[in-house]
Amino acid sequence: MTRTASSIGKDLIGLENLSAEQILTILDASEPFKEISERRIKKVPALRGKTIVNLFFEPSTRTRVSFEFAEKRLSADTVNISSSGSSVVKGENLVDSARNLEAMRIDMVVIRHGSSGAAGFLAERIPSMVINAGDGSHEHPTQALLDMLTIRDHLGRIEGLKVCIVGDIRHSRVARSNIYGLIKLGAEVAVCGPKTLLPMGIADLGVTVFSRIEEAIEWADVLNVLRLQLERMKGGFLPSLREYNRVWGVTKARLEAAPRDVLIMHPGPMNRGVEIDSDVADGPQQVILEQVTNGVAVRMAVLYLLAGGEPDTAEAAKENVDE
Amino acid sequence: MSASLLIRGGRVVDPSQALDATRDVLVVDGRIAEVSENVEAPEGAQEVDASGLLVTPGLIDVHVHLREPGGEHKETIATGAKAAAAGGFTSICAMPNTDPVIDDPAGVGFVLAQAAAARAARVYPVGAISHGQEGLQLAAVGEMVEAGAVGITDDGNPVMDSGLMRRALEYAQAFGVPVADHPEDLGVSAQGGMNEGLVSTRLGLRGKPNASEDIHIVRDLLLAELTGGHIHLQHVSTAYGVEAIRQAKARGIKATAEASPHHLILTDEAVEGYNTDAKMNPPLRSAVDREAVREGLADGTLCVLATDHAPHHYDEKEQAFDDAPNGIVGLETSLGLALTHLVGKGLIDLATMVERMSCSPARAFNLEGGTLASGSIGDVTIVDVNEAWKVDRAAFLSKSHNTPFDGWDLTGRARYTIVGGEIVWQANG
């Protein structure tokens, strides 16, 4: 059961191995799908007859629901499998899951897993198309794609922009996917956070490193503020949430000191008063809910393209309203 | 009636006697009887034609995990001893991190009994430093040595309590055995699964820095100096670690140390693609570290080449990287890798290889062997240094196949492995 690779490959595991052209293909294909979600009847038949499994080994609400809406709006048949991974040996479960899914002849798997490399591991073992919905600290490609689509919506371009990712870069799959994607599209990328949360060798990925948020804000056109995992006090990464907010929090006062209006993004869910203050989270520069809306369109585009849809027929795909 | 084996006309390389010449080797009743240019065959002697072949004192691997008792699905003492023989090893030292841990004389006796039944390579048990390898209280070191243990180690785990390590180095001296340590500060390692650096950052894997190993190497050297004990540092993988050991030896500290084939040949780039067969502890490091380990092996700072043979069942390695266990098998590839990638590339000469794989390991653990001097134990390895072969893990005698070297083209392989004058393994037959 071999499949012909689509214009973006058999699977979507990460942005590190995609070309700039492929990333732009996905962003461009997302545009026509945005409109479907604004309709009274939010459904087109593009993936009718396709079966998709959403295989979530880690708790997720936002990403899972976003994928599920994207799948349903394209008329795919979907099944959700959730496992906390706490009661079973994770890897063993993954191999067995792969074999079982293969046996059921499903078309696509959307996987979220706590171990880096898990999505690629699955993709190597089953003929179904695999979409990485976050693997450990490795990649979360659809999040970075929706981030880039949102930046492009607001600033008209990616190339030449200065984007700073703020927070726990060490443990963040969102950061890695954004770094790969943004650099490929010609943005300048920086990261900012306490050194305990910056991984070794990060500058070698081609990013600027700021240790203070004030410097990052002065430099940036866009701040992508990561969620701080509240358990990071364990392991000695941080002394306290209060101190994190005081030193690295994105606050109104800090934004007002910036030389230009900085676009504020956050992949959610937010810890208000920790990495981002409420008056910023609800303020005029934030585009956080637009990211969520774009998430559905980007995921529709990825599903559509992986299933073999041609980029230039994405516009046509939405026309065939299925009522 | 005495049993004799005559090995005819091989190139005998025995650094213990500074010998590199064509010689006959006669083994009588399990001991080397004569090494000279023309040995007259005793009546009824079995003869092996070694012309064109290399003849060395039996190779010794002082660092292997045989998994029995408790992990027999990965390896048994018998399969490990046979894999060792197939790799040219006449003696191996079995680590005690089994289930149960080998921390008392009964455990040591069990390993020896299983090894005797296997009739392959000799297996020397290494006992635990601490009871249950829990790092809390000393195991029965004296009784274990009396039962046949040749050293102590908590390998698998480091000894985190420096006070306990000090006591072990003091206590073991009465019994003349080395204290072998897996040097690693677990706090600095922070559950890292590979070397910390650009590759770990890109892959999103937790990394452990060189410092996690270096801290304990330096600690162990200081404690060896304090106590006068013999520290044996296992699988050294860092540039600083090599330098620290070099300086300590120059100061007269009683230290021996290992280099492993994988640290001599690979770097952390082998982990790309989340290759669990490139996951071991200590991890594959940078090219700078690899170079330092090579220099350390060449100049004798790392006087022992040891594999850290660590079998794992295939489905244990068939997991996401974080979830897969550490370790690779090494017994059946070590000699070929050393000949191809160390000797073959001019990093060390043949005599140095034999020194690191036979003479030094014997000295470090006070084992018989490591020499073909008259009267010594009749352990001999006969090697075809020109045999070109491809590593095929499916053909391993080891129960496990977890190697990053599968499919590699190597030159040089054991032809006969002789233990106590008996051929325990012979290629192509």
Side-chain angles (χ1 to χ4, degrees), chain A residues 88-96 113 115 121, chain B residues 318-320 323:
Chain A
V88 288
V89 178
K90 278 185 282 178
E92 198 175 77
N93 207 12
L94 185 53
V95 171
D96 286 343
H113 196 281
S115 296
F121 179 93
Chain B
E318 177 98 345
Q319 299 199 64
D323 303 324

Side-chain angles (χ1 to χ4, degrees), chain A residues 51-301:
Chain A
T51 34
I52 303 178
V53 174
N54 298 312
L55 186 59
F56 279 65
F57 290 90
E58 273 189 344
S60 160
T61 303
R62 189 170 309 232
T63 302
R64 189 179 54 74
V65 168
S66 179
F67 266 108
E68 209 176 333
F69 275 133
E71 293 154 3
K72 292 195 159 138
R73 287 173 192 179
L74 293 172
S75 303
D77 296 315
T78 67
V79 173
N80 295 323
I81 302 174
S82 294
S83 159
S84 69
S86 58
S87 59
V88 288
V89 178
K90 278 185 282 178
E92 198 175 77
N93 207 12
L94 185 53
V95 171
D96 286 343
S97 302
R99 290 179 183 148
N100 278 282
L101 294 171
E102 187 186 344
M104 286 186 271
R105 306 288 183 265
I106 42 102
D107 296 294
M108 292 192 197
V109 181
V110 176
I111 179 175
R112 159 74 59 96
H113 196 281
S115 296
S116 300
F121 179 93
L122 192 70
E124 286 167 15
R125 282 161 183 79
I126 58 173
S128 316
M129 293 163 262
V130 174
I131 300 175
N132 183 4
D135 62 327
S137 305
H138 177 224
E139 286 224 41
H140 190 354
T142 57
Q143 177 69 44
L145 289 164
L146 72 88
D147 290 342
M148 290 190 282
L149 185 65
T150 307
I151 292 171
R152 199 171 73 168
D153 283 354
H154 279 269
L155 301 177
R157 66 197 165 100
I158 304 276
E159 194 173 356
L161 289 179
K162 293 176 171 174
V163 182
C164 184
I165 306 163
V166 181
D168 184 358
I169 311 298
R170 179 186 290 276
H171 301 97
S172 177
R173 49 197 172 212
V174 177
R176 284 169 180 76
S177 287
N178 264 286
I179 289 168
Y180 298 136
L182 287 164
I183 288 177
K184 282 175 204 269
L185 296 193
E188 284 183 67
V189 182
V191 295
C192 176
K195 191 151 188 186
T196 49
L197 296 178
L198 301 178
M200 191 83 87
I202 186 74
D204 293 335
L205 294 182
V207 304
T208 304
V209 178
F210 294 114
S211 58
R212 304 292 299 209
I213 189 70
E214 293 85 356
E215 297 167 351
I217 289 172
E218 189 182 340
W219 175 86
D221 299 307
V222 179
L223 284 190
N224 197 343
V225 186
L226 300 177
R227 170 181 171 79
L228 188 75
Q229 298 295 324
L230 298 180
E231 67 270 18
R232 292 296 172 228
M233 264 53 67
K234 291 180 212 155
F237 292 104
L238 292 173
S240 70
L241 295 180
R242 191 178 62 87
E243 176 158 315
Y244 184 82
N245 180 257
R246 285 176 80 101
V247 182
W248 286 281
V250 178
T251 64
K252 192 177 173 194
R254 286 178 171 141
L255 288 182
E256 282 171 353
R260 61 187 84 79
D261 277 352
V262 181
L263 195 70
I264 301 296
M265 304 174 65
H266 192 297
M270 289 185 284
N271 298 303
R272 290 169 177 258
V274 182
E275 71 269 7
I276 188 166
D277 277 1
S278 282
D279 47 11
V280 175
D282 302 323
Q285 291 161 248
Q286 63 83 18
V287 291
I288 296 165
L289 293 176
E290 288 165 59
Q291 291 175 266
V292 177
T293 306
N294 277 342
V296 178
V298 157
R299 289 173 178 122
M300 288 171 82

Side-chain angles (χ1 to χ4, degrees), chain B residues 139-191:
Chain B
V141 179
E143 286 184 301
M144 288 194 292
V145 172
E146 202 168 75
V150 298
I152 54 172
T153 184
D154 272 359
D155 180 49
N157 303 307
V159 175
M160 282 302 293
D161 180 344
S162 302
L164 181 72
M165 186 49 122
R166 173 199 173 155
R167 299 305 176 209
L169 281 161
E170 289 171 336
Y171 192 75
Q173 288 176 54
F175 309 100
V177 294
V179 178
D181 191 30
H182 164 119
E184 179 181 9
D185 184 312
L186 294 175
V188 179
S189 288
Q191 276 118 41

Side-chain angles (χ1 to χ4, degrees), chain B residues 83 122 162 184 229 255 263 283 288 291 319-320 342 367 378 389 396 412:
Chain B
R122 298 176 199 275
S162 302
E184 179 181 9
H263 293 125
V288 169
E291 188 54 35
Q319 299 199 64
L342 303 178
L367 308 178
W389 61 291
F396 283 170

